[in-house]
Amino acid sequence: MNWYEKLSEYFPIEEMKSQEHMELLLKEKADMYHKDEGPYHVLMYVETNDFLFIDYLYVSAKSRGKGIGHKLIEKLKKHGKPIILEVEPIDYEDTDSEKRLRFYKREGFKHAVSIGYRRRSLATNEVNEMEILYWSPTNESEESILEKMKKTYKEIHTYKDKELYGKSYQHVNEVLTIVKDKDENILEFNND
């Protein structure tokens, strides 16, 4: 099974980029879009001057619990930059969603609770909500994380979308928003 098949078998269709999209990123954005692949893992990530974004992290079920995910995260942390990723909210019918969140919490990732992420899938036309997690060696603000996510969305997620999918994804400001409470106060992050 090739790297794309592994990813598409594991991740829901509404979260997947097409193989053509990812191969184009690897070719045309090779300075920032990378693949780290081994017999039991596939890691697709973005590296810029000031942050990393994990696009996809897959570790095969038969090798989980052997520290592969931890080693990959540690390798990225050595770059000394904030690391950002999107995860599905916990779905109690899908035990993997809870395990993923627990894994990232153990690795020191925090929820960016003031950032909302809602994108309509071009594949299914359904709205997909994600949570933003981040790790930072420098106590990065959520406002800074939001700007980095917007850069990722514009340069990676929507790269040549009209050409690749026949239509465009929503504008970045519709997808990534500041979450406010009922009194219009921006939600504060709580480290607990």
Side-chain angles (χ1 to χ4, degrees), residues 69 109 123 177:
F109 283 76
T177 57

Side-chain angles (χ1 to χ4, degrees), residues 33-171:
Y33 197 75
H34 308 283
K35 174 175 64 167
D36 180 330
E37 179 183 12
Y40 302 108
H41 78 275
V42 178
L43 169 63
M44 307 298 290
Y45 68 98
V46 175
E47 182 169 11
T48 71
N49 291 335
D50 59 344
F51 73 95
L52 291 128
F53 174 80
I54 298 174
D55 203 10
Y56 300 96
L57 174 56
Y58 160 82
V59 175
S60 75
K62 60 184 160 196
S63 66
R64 286 194 198 134
K66 296 185 177 166
I68 293 171
H70 172 73
K71 287 176 188 163
L72 292 168
I73 296 294
E74 284 301 309
K75 188 173 164 182
L76 294 177
K77 284 180 178 178
K78 287 181 182 172
H79 293 242
K81 303 173 188 180
I83 304 170
I84 308 167
L85 57 99
E86 305 157 1
V87 292
E88 305 151 77
I90 289 180
D91 174 354
Y92 293 100
E93 293 176 19
D94 173 14
T95 57
D96 272 358
S97 66
E98 189 175 0
K99 287 176 186 172
R100 272 191 295 277
L101 283 170
R102 248 195 335 253
F103 166 75
Y104 287 116
K105 187 173 184 175
R106 271 195 320 270
E107 295 298 324
F109 283 76
K110 302 175 185 177
H111 263 100
V113 295
S114 70
I115 303 173
Y117 184 101
R118 291 174 48 95
R119 181 177 79 167
R120 185 167 300 282
S121 167
L122 293 180
T124 65
N125 205 35
E126 292 180 25
V127 173
N128 190 27
E129 287 193 49
M130 301 291 277
E131 295 181 13
I132 307 299
L133 301 181
Y134 69 100
W135 172 87
S136 175
T138 58
N139 204 20
E140 198 85 9
S141 72
E142 288 195 12
E143 292 80 13
S144 173
I145 297 298
L146 177 62
E147 291 311 308
K148 291 168 174 50
M149 273 302 305
K150 284 182 175 185
K151 178 180 173 102
T152 301
Y153 184 80
K154 291 188 280 191
E155 294 190 28
I156 301 299
H157 292 350
T158 63
Y159 184 67
K160 295 191 176 182
D161 54 357
K162 184 116 172 118
E163 179 183 317
L164 291 163
Y165 303 105
K167 51 188 164 183
S168 297
Y169 279 106
Q170 297 152 271
H171 187 273

